[in-house]
Amino acid sequence: MNRSYKLQTKLILSFTILAGFIIGLISISVNFGIENEFKNYVIEKHNEKVYTLINNLIYSYEASEGFNLNDIEHLGVESIEQGLIIDIKNNEHVSIWSALEHNAGLCESMISNVSENMFDHYSDWNGNYTEETFPLISDNTTFAEVTIGYLGPYYFNEQELFFLTVINKILIVVGIIALILSIFIGFLIARSITKPMHNIITQLNQIQTDKKTLSVPIQTGSVEIQLLYNSTLSLEKRIMEQEQLRKQLTQDMAHELKTPLSAVQGILEAMIDGIFEITDTRLISCHEEIMRIKSLIIEVESLSIAENNNLSLSYIPTDIASIIDDIHLHQANRLNANNQKINLRVLNSINKELLANYPCDPTKLKQVFINLVDNSIKYAGKDTSINITLDIKSDKSLVVNYSDNGMGIPTKDIPYVFERFYRVDSSRTGHNGLGIGLTLVKSIVEKHQGTIQIESSNPGTTFVITIPYINNHL
Ligand code: ADP
């Protein structure tokens, strides 16, 4: 099973484990390093003691021109205190002075004390009583030999053991303090990350349950979380906008369908009841209303096709200018009623042959121009003109510059007009669409791998459409 833990618990645990690991590693290596160095130092010190003792014995022999028992005893007793048990024999192997004979009790208690101390601190200590014999040489002549017994290979005296114990204790205390500190710091860091996250979660839950908005901005104190929070804010804003658009759409759809249907219903009922005569004009009027409903449904259907990415293109060589002329003809009545004109200009320099056979989907591209002209008729207003310029660039891309000199689109609305269901305040124009036209325009242009740009001021709205030349579809 995949268990989930709180982020705070995870962070504190990670910090503690990491800190514990680092502290443990440092303690072990420091401890091991110090002890090892100390061992070497103790062994070196022992060798020095042996060397000094031998030198002192030779010096006493030479100074006294023979064995000086007082000096030897003095050196022997001093050596016991330093952990060395000496036995001096002359060349005939006759003992001159032996620490064991002098004070066997002191030697034994020294050895057993040291062993006990060492075993107390190091249960694996493998020291043994060891003896080494050295010749005593003066003027290149061996005059005696000294056997030195000691606990080898090394041992620590009480001060040295005390020093090592203190170091160990310091390491343990420092380790515990560092561990507590790292848990505390881990807690602080975890809190600084999780607290703003909790705030975001609380606010998101509020949106879910109470439908509240993220009105209170939070300062999270960390770049990534702030970015996450800001993205959440934008997401929430978009969800709210979409929600608003959806509500508006439902209302408008109902209105758009109800008006023509009521008209048709009224005319038909009046004709059935014999109030109205059945005339061609009335039948044509009903037909027109039904066609309005149909075109509305087709528009919604086209959007659904485009949004579900089911828009497929059939590229054929197309006469671009004739598409625009066609629309001109079809919209002639509405254009005349508005006293609007369409001026089509084809730049002289361009490849006319290509313009008359441009690879694209003519039906879809026609839809683009129908929607743009329809918008100009609806929004640009009476006595305006529509100027369309066709150009073909050196890379054979088609550039259509479409502009009218109507009321334009407010700057604040420009970034949104291609969004589905987005409408600029209808009170400006008195016209109400569904906010689908430009969404479809953009989808069709992008399906052709092209781009659409918009510029608007008052007066005037300009769309620049660029369609790249792609002939592998043909
Ligand atoms: P609709 O289907 O409602 O016409 P569109 O997506 O075609 O929606 O257009 C979105 C909005 O852009 C409209 O509400 C309209 O206010 C604005 N608009 C589009 N074209 C023009 C234009 N030529 N002049 C002024 N406003 C326009």
Side-chain angles (χ1 to χ4, degrees), residues 306 309 311-313 315 358-361 363-372 397-400 402 418 437-454 463-470 473:
N309 223 5
L311 199 68
S312 61
L313 301 183
Y315 268 61
Y358 204 81
C360 65
D361 183 320
T363 320
K364 303 287 184 318
L365 210 59
K366 191 171 178 178
Q367 185 67 53
V368 167
F369 296 122
I370 288 177
N371 288 7
L372 292 179
S397 58
L398 168 70
V399 178
V400 184
Y402 179 101
F418 291 114
L438 290 181
T439 315
L440 266 177
V441 166
K442 191 163 188 257
S443 303
I444 294 170
V445 170
E446 285 178 351
K447 194 72 189 175
H448 280 86
Q449 298 178 33
T451 57
I452 179 161
Q453 275 152 9
I454 179 171
F463 294 93
V464 181
I465 297 170
T466 307
I467 307 277
Y469 176 81
I470 303 171
H473 287 84

Side-chain angles (χ1 to χ4, degrees), residues 28-47:
I28 290 171
S29 47
V30 167
N31 207 325
F32 184 75
I34 288 180
E35 239 175 69
N36 233 16
E37 280 304 305
F38 220 73
K39 247 187 248 173
N40 292 339
Y41 162 77
V42 165
I43 291 172
E44 229 170 76
K45 217 174 79 177
H46 166 82
N47 290 341

Side-chain angles (χ1 to χ4, degrees), residues 243-256 300 303 421 423 433-436:
E243 178 77 3
Q244 186 55 38
L245 289 174
R246 195 183 55 78
K247 281 185 193 155
Q248 188 68 43
L249 174 81
T250 320
Q251 198 182 333
D252 292 346
M253 272 291 260
H255 176 79
E256 292 284 314
V300 175
L303 178 72
F421 310 137
R423 275 102 27 102
L434 289 178
I436 292 176

Side-chain angles (χ1 to χ4, degrees), residues 117-345:
N117 266 348
M118 282 303 280
F119 278 123
D120 274 356
H121 288 83
Y122 305 95
S123 52
D124 58 342
W125 180 68
N126 58 358
N128 277 318
Y129 183 73
T130 318
E131 282 188 341
E132 278 181 293
T133 303
F134 302 91
L136 296 177
I137 301 167
S138 171
D139 282 341
N140 292 328
T141 315
T142 305
F143 62 89
E145 62 177 26
V146 59
T147 302
I148 300 175
Y150 61 95
L151 276 173
Y154 72 95
Y155 72 90
F156 299 137
N157 65 29
E158 279 187 21
Q159 289 96 319
E160 289 159 351
L161 282 173
F162 177 72
F163 171 75
L164 286 175
T165 313
V166 168
I167 293 258
N168 272 339
K169 280 185 182 158
I170 289 174
L171 281 177
I172 290 170
V173 171
V174 168
I176 291 172
I177 292 173
L179 207 64
I180 293 172
L181 259 179
S182 59
I183 293 174
F184 182 65
I185 292 170
F187 173 76
L188 286 185
I189 293 178
R191 230 173 81 99
S192 73
I193 295 174
T194 52
K195 201 172 165 220
M197 282 182 128
H198 276 301
N199 285 344
I200 296 176
I201 292 167
T202 313
Q203 290 213 16
L204 286 177
N205 284 342
Q206 276 180 355
I207 297 177
Q208 242 180 7
T209 50
D210 314 340
K211 304 264 180 264
K212 278 190 182 164
T213 54
L214 291 181
S215 46
V216 195
I218 301 177
Q219 284 310 317
T220 60
S222 112
V223 177
E224 289 81 359
I225 299 177
Q226 193 67 46
L227 284 176
L228 174 73
Y229 177 69
N230 293 346
S231 308
T232 314
L233 272 186
S234 335
L235 191 69
E236 186 241 358
K237 198 169 154 238
R238 275 189 65 81
I239 291 173
M240 291 293 170
E241 280 167 6
Q242 291 296 321
E243 178 77 3
Q244 186 55 38
L245 289 174
R246 195 183 55 78
K247 281 185 193 155
Q248 188 68 43
L249 174 81
T250 320
Q251 198 182 333
D252 292 346
M253 272 291 260
H255 176 79
E256 292 284 314
L257 291 173
K258 211 170 131 193
T259 314
L261 273 176
S262 304
V264 173
Q265 186 189 12
I267 296 169
L268 286 178
E269 279 175 2
M271 289 198 295
I272 291 166
D273 294 345
I275 301 166
F276 279 173
E277 239 181 81
I278 304 174
T279 61
D280 280 355
T281 325
R282 291 199 174 107
L283 286 176
I284 289 169
S285 161
C286 284
H287 183 254
E288 272 173 5
E289 292 300 339
I290 288 168
M291 289 314 286
R292 249 182 84 186
I293 299 172
K294 194 180 169 193
S295 70
L296 191 76
I297 291 168
I298 288 175
E299 211 178 345
V300 175
E301 196 181 43
S302 310
L303 178 72
S304 135
I305 291 173
E307 294 219 309
N308 292 326
N309 223 5
N310 288 335
L311 199 68
S312 61
L313 301 183
S314 305
Y315 268 61
I316 52 167
T318 304
D319 186 344
I320 303 294
S322 80
I323 291 184
I324 294 168
D325 285 339
D326 247 22
I327 298 165
H328 200 167
L329 282 179
H330 276 94
Q331 299 287 355
N333 285 344
R334 291 176 71 204
L335 288 164
N336 288 339
N338 257 1
N339 193 24
Q340 282 177 304
K341 280 193 302 261
I342 295 184
N343 305 313
L344 177 62
R345 197 161 70 96

